[in-house]
Each structure stands twice: as structure tokens, then as C-alpha cells.
Amino acid sequence: MVRKIERDQNRFKQIVRGKIKGDLRKYITHGEMIGKTGGELVSIPLPQIQIPEFRYGSKNSGGVGQGPGDVGTPIGRAGEGDSPGSAGDSPGQHILEVELTLDELAEILGEGLELPRIEPKGRANIIEEKDKYTGIRQAGPESLRHFKRTYKKALKRQIASNTYNPADPMVIPVREDKLYRSWNPVFLPHSNAVVLYLMDVSGSMTDDQKEIVRIEAFWIDTWLKSQYDGVTTRYIIHDAVAREVDQHTFYHTRESGGTRISSAYNLANKIIEADHPVADWNIYVLHFSDGDNWGEDNRQCVAMLRDQLLPKCNLFGYGQVESPYGSGEFYRELEEAFEHVPNLALSEIRNKDGIYESIKEFLGRGR
Amino acid sequence: MNLSRKIADAVETLPPGGPLPCPVEAEAAGARLSVHLTAQGPVGIAFDGLDYAAAGRRDLSADELRKWGDRLAARLTYLMEPLVVLEVDALAGEAALRSQAPTPRGDLRSFYEVRLRREGSLHLQRIAFDEAARRRQAVPCRMTIEVLERLADDLVASLD
């Protein structure tokens, strides 16, 4: 039976979910909540919900017009006030923050953006060994003693040896009666995914553009982690050369070299071939750039995508983040080279408001 | 006669009402300047690209390319927007300068782009990003002949 407090709590959760879903675009666009991610929980500010509180009635509290002055005396004329007041010492009105798990957030994202669930590629990819307490042994630590079975066995022994007295039903297990839980290895199918984030950090990419990438990557990560048992994330930055870095470096590096996107595609391909065999992994490659690629590199990128990366990936997403100088030509090159390729998603992100549609473009294919 | 005077002469001596666009070139002391003229009037000219090359120079390193870019940015303060060195590609031996902030005008955001190459040459053009068409295109650079002269002087001086 559901207790009233649980019913109320569920209702509150429904209200919170509704609020977040209603304002999902705003939450996606603003990146401040990403900083509030602590482990598996995310704090989300909800200024619109009023917390229930006691309010005193007006009984015995007097009426109106109790201040000094006669009837008709004007109040609050401009310029007649006191000097500016000092800072207050009482607490201000706080914004309510609710904590959601990343899975709950992913669920809201999925519902809000109407994202299809991802069908992992092929059969279950990796067989994972897990221990489950499904067996019984005659030896083991006392902490694992199976109380019920031990006493049943003792009872059987006492009945068989005629030492059991129903009038005085006392069952005393001896050493031979004791049974202990034991574990057996169970092999579970396990779908794994690797997400490679590629970002152009050349001189033309500004901090604002990187912030957009950071926000978008957070939401894509949240969704993919809700769809797979294990998600491995790897980061590659590039200007004219590419290198693998950790998450912090990924978001905070600015180089001043030229832009050669093929260097990043080449490294991504090497990483996949070395560490993430296509048969075992669901592979996602998401690349963000302002599209200002140098020289003849576009042709190399198209060839590399067609021959190397696309055949290996569940999804290859390219997000072109607009810079103050507009959007580069790389997006058009890909658009012209690849028509209706199911595992290639292209998205032009003009500003933070474009993140919402871009996520939908990347994840809306259910791949 | 120096390069700046020669290019000004070349522009001024074009026959009025002559065929446009047309290339106009000048050469002095091993340096060559050419503009692809698209319009010419009594006040100034418009061109869709300017190329400068200093002959007989050894290849510049990435660091030297950056320094050349910095010197250019410091000198070319009279164009519509100040320039900054944006990227230096050591592998290709190229550097790119752009306007620090593009100038918005209606649906267009225009900016200068200068590409420097290690052999001591450069290409200058003005680019506009069309918000509606979502595309970049080269647009004419407009300047008076006096500004073109000064630009030629500064290009020569920046490599000295």
C-alpha cells in the first residue's frame, strides 16, 4: 500500500518533471546546471514552484491605515525619501533547487525531444561476468549463513534421529546443519558504447563556441549513458594536428594553429582500430568546428569519412558552430558529398538557442 | 619610383570607361603588387583581391610568419577594422589574419582576411557572411588611391 507521503512525493516529482519538460529548451540552452553535476545527481533551479508554507490569517492583526499622518496626506513623493538604505541582513528569497539523477534527466530529455530509444548495433556485444548469490555450500563465513535452510536441515536431522519434541519445538543446529550462501559466475550480455568527441581548437574558435560544444556534449552524454550499460568517452582536440586529451583540456584549450580536420579524423580512426573493435562496440563520433578548414583538406576529410569512419560508426555527427566570422564551408562540403547517409548527422549551431535543435538532429535518428 | 607610386600610377592611368574587372600590377625592387580591379572612380577604387609577393626571400619559419602578421596588424590601422593574427599553420607555412570583429551591415557581416605564405607573399580580400544564405562570399574592398598607396608602403615595410 502506498503511504500518503509517498503519494505526495510522487506528485511533487511529477510537477517538477512537468516544469522541467515545459522549460526544457531553457535548461538545455543554459549551461550553468552542468557545473552543478555531482556524481549521478544534477541540481536544477526551479524558481516557479512555491513551497507550501503556513500563512497567518488577518484575525486580530489590525486593519489598514495605521501609520502616522492625517487622512488625505500624500505619501511617497519623489525626492523626499531618506538616504539610500544599506544592505539588508535578512535572507533573500531562494530559488528552489531540485536534484535529479542523470537517468531522470535523460528520460525528460527523451520525452521532451521525442527521441527514439537507441537500438544497440548487432547482438549484445560484450559478455560481462558477474557474481550472483545463487548457490548453497556447507562452508562459508557466518555472515553468509542461510538461516532458513540451516534450521530446516537441523529440523530434518532432529526428526530423523527422533530427538525432535513437538511439545517443546526446539531446533538447535549443529555444525553439519549449517548451510551458507555461495556465488556463481553469471554471464550477462553487455552493450558498450564509445563516444569520441572531436573539437577544433584553432585560433578561430572562441570561448563562446566552446561553451556551446560543452553544453551540447553534456546532453548527448547524458542521453547515451542512459541508453547503454557502459559508455566510454574519449576526447580529441585539433588545429593542424590532433591529439587525445582529458575532458578538462578538451574544454579549456585554445591553440593558434591552422585548421586541418583530417588530422582529427585520422586519430579517431586509429583509436577506434586500436581500442574499440567495431564488432564489440557501438561507436559514436561527434565533431565540432567552425568549418574553417584550410587548403585541400576538405577533400581528404570526405574521403576519410566515406572509407574509414562512417562504415565503423553507429553515428557520425558534425556540428558546425557559428563564429563571429559566420560559418565556414566545411558543412556545405559534407552536405554535398553525403546525401541521405543514415549514420551521418549534420547540424549548424548558430548560437546557444540552436543547441536544442542540434541535439534533436544528432539523437533523433535512434542510432 | 617606389611600389606605392607605381601602383597608384597604374590605377590612375587606366583609360576612363575601360573594361572592368581587370588586373592592375606594379613591380619595384623585387616586390610585386597586383589588384583585381572591379570599379574605379575619381575618389577611389574597388578590388576583389590584392596579392603581394617579395621575390628572392628565404622561407619564413612559423615564428617569423607570426611576427610578420603582428607587424602587419600593427601597421594596417586605417582599414575598416583592426586586424589580428588568428592562426599560424607551421606545417603548411601559412598564417591567417582577420578583422578583430566583423562589421555588421544588414544581413551581412564583413571582415578582412589576409593569408601570409612562408615565401613572403600574401593575399588580402574582404569576405562577407550572408546570414540569410548562410554562406560566405568575397566582396570588393573599397579604398581611395591614397590608402592603396599607403597600404603598398606598409606591405613593403612589414617584410623589411
Side-chain angles (χ1 to χ4, degrees), chain B residues 36-119:
Chain B
H36 193 247
L37 217 59
T38 54
Q40 182 205 14
V43 179
I45 55 166
F47 56 87
D48 57 16
L50 177 149
D51 288 284
Y52 171 78
R57 295 191 69 94
R58 63 168 178 83
D59 281 358
L60 300 171
S61 66
D63 196 39
E64 287 168 328
L65 265 176
R66 172 175 289 282
K67 283 179 181 159
W68 181 22
D70 287 337
R71 283 196 300 273
L72 263 181
R75 283 177 171 274
L76 306 185
T77 53
Y78 42 85
L79 299 178
M80 286 181 66
E81 305 104 15
L83 300 174
V84 284
V85 179
L86 213 61
E87 298 182 350
V88 180
D89 187 341
L91 290 176
E94 284 190 28
L97 285 83
R98 276 188 185 164
S99 303
Q100 199 164 37
T103 301
R105 201 182 211 186
D107 266 357
L108 296 180
R109 265 183 275 165
S110 313
F111 57 93
Y112 285 105
E113 186 176 86
V114 186
R115 293 261 169 167
L116 313 181
R117 289 179 212 97
R118 66 175 141 220
E119 66 272 14

Side-chain angles (χ1 to χ4, degrees), chain A residues 313-326:
Chain A
C313 295
N314 286 40
L315 180 74
F316 184 96
Y318 172 65
Q320 188 155 299
V321 192
E322 193 172 309
S323 75
Y325 307 101

Side-chain angles (χ1 to χ4, degrees), chain A residues 3-125:
Chain A
R3 287 185 300 167
K4 189 169 183 298
I5 184 71
E6 286 168 351
R7 217 168 46 225
D8 289 348
Q9 196 190 15
N10 284 339
R11 187 162 169 271
F12 182 73
K13 274 189 177 172
Q14 286 303 318
I15 293 169
V16 169
R17 282 172 67 94
K19 284 275 179 197
I20 295 172
K21 223 157 88 176
D23 288 338
L24 189 62
R25 188 181 282 268
K26 188 186 85 184
Y27 287 116
I28 286 178
T29 306
H30 292 90
E32 65 263 29
M33 58 182 288
I34 300 169
K36 295 181 176 177
T37 311
E40 286 298 300
L41 291 173
V42 183
S43 288
I44 295 186
L46 283 175
Q48 302 92 337
I49 293 180
Q50 287 196 333
I51 304 173
E53 58 179 327
F54 286 112
R55 286 182 192 157
Y56 298 107
S58 56
K59 224 174 183 181
N60 299 328
S61 62
V64 291
Q66 289 192 37
D70 300 324
V71 176
T73 307
I75 55 167
R77 273 188 182 163
E80 286 183 358
D82 299 329
S83 57
S86 56
D89 56 0
S90 55
Q93 193 176 0
H94 290 287
I95 291 173
L96 173 68
E97 288 203 347
V98 291
E99 283 191 332
L100 291 178
T101 63
L102 286 173
D103 278 345
E104 283 172 323
L105 200 61
E107 209 174 300
I108 294 169
L109 178 74
E111 286 171 19
L113 291 174
E114 296 171 351
L115 298 178
R117 297 201 76 77
I118 292 174
E119 283 290 327
K121 191 171 61 179
R123 290 181 293 110
N125 298 317

Side-chain angles (χ1 to χ4, degrees), chain A residues 215-233:
Chain A
I215 295 170
E216 185 146 346
F218 167 81
W219 287 100
I220 291 171
D221 245 14
T222 303
W223 177 250
L224 291 178
K225 279 176 181 164
S226 75
Q227 302 290 300
Y228 289 101
D229 302 320
V231 174
T232 302
T233 314

Side-chain angles (χ1 to χ4, degrees), chain A residues 6 18 62 171 208 291:
Chain A
E6 286 168 351
V171 179
D208 287 346

Side-chain angles (χ1 to χ4, degrees), chain A residues 63-278:
Chain A
V64 291
Q66 289 192 37
D70 300 324
V71 176
T73 307
I75 55 167
R77 273 188 182 163
E80 286 183 358
D82 299 329
S83 57
S86 56
D89 56 0
S90 55
Q93 193 176 0
H94 290 287
I95 291 173
L96 173 68
E97 288 203 347
V98 291
E99 283 191 332
L100 291 178
T101 63
L102 286 173
D103 278 345
E104 283 172 323
L105 200 61
E107 209 174 300
I108 294 169
L109 178 74
E111 286 171 19
L113 291 174
E114 296 171 351
L115 298 178
R117 297 201 76 77
I118 292 174
E119 283 290 327
K121 191 171 61 179
R123 290 181 293 110
N125 298 317
I126 289 176
I127 303 299
E128 190 194 38
E129 189 182 313
K130 271 191 173 179
D131 291 329
K132 282 210 159 190
Y133 286 93
T134 52
I136 291 291
R137 285 181 193 166
Q138 285 188 320
E142 284 303 303
S143 58
L144 290 181
R145 197 173 76 200
H146 198 301
F147 187 85
K148 203 171 170 180
R149 288 203 182 200
T150 299
Y151 273 83
K152 267 172 124 175
K153 195 176 174 193
L155 180 61
K156 273 187 200 169
R157 179 183 49 75
Q158 282 186 220
I159 291 169
S161 60
N162 213 13
T163 55
Y164 180 69
N165 179 8
D168 180 19
M170 193 180 289
V171 179
I172 301 167
V174 294
R175 188 178 171 79
E176 289 74 35
D177 298 328
K178 288 183 180 175
L179 293 171
Y180 300 87
R181 288 184 177 86
S182 76
W183 60 89
N184 291 313
V186 177
F187 296 96
L188 292 174
H190 194 80
S191 299
N192 267 13
V194 60
V195 190
L196 286 107
Y197 287 106
L198 281 51
M199 180 159 60
D200 174 1
V201 291
S202 63
S204 55
M205 285 283 283
T206 63
D207 288 343
D208 287 346
Q209 288 166 282
K210 281 187 209 141
E211 173 70 2
I212 288 173
V213 176
R214 199 170 73 95
I215 295 170
E216 185 146 346
F218 167 81
W219 287 100
I220 291 171
D221 245 14
T222 303
W223 177 250
L224 291 178
K225 279 176 181 164
S226 75
Q227 302 290 300
Y228 289 101
D229 302 320
V231 174
T232 302
T233 314
R234 301 183 74 161
Y235 299 94
I236 294 172
I237 55 174
H238 73 91
D239 49 11
V241 287
R243 62 194 165 105
E244 190 178 4
V245 293
D246 59 28
Q247 190 186 29
H248 184 268
T249 313
F250 182 78
Y251 290 119
H252 296 92
T253 302
R254 186 167 184 182
E255 307 279 0
S256 58
T259 310
R260 281 185 199 279
I261 291 174
S262 62
S263 65
Y265 289 1
N266 204 8
L267 180 58
N269 189 47
K270 277 184 188 164
I271 288 174
I272 291 169
E273 282 183 349
D275 302 337
H276 306 285
V278 183

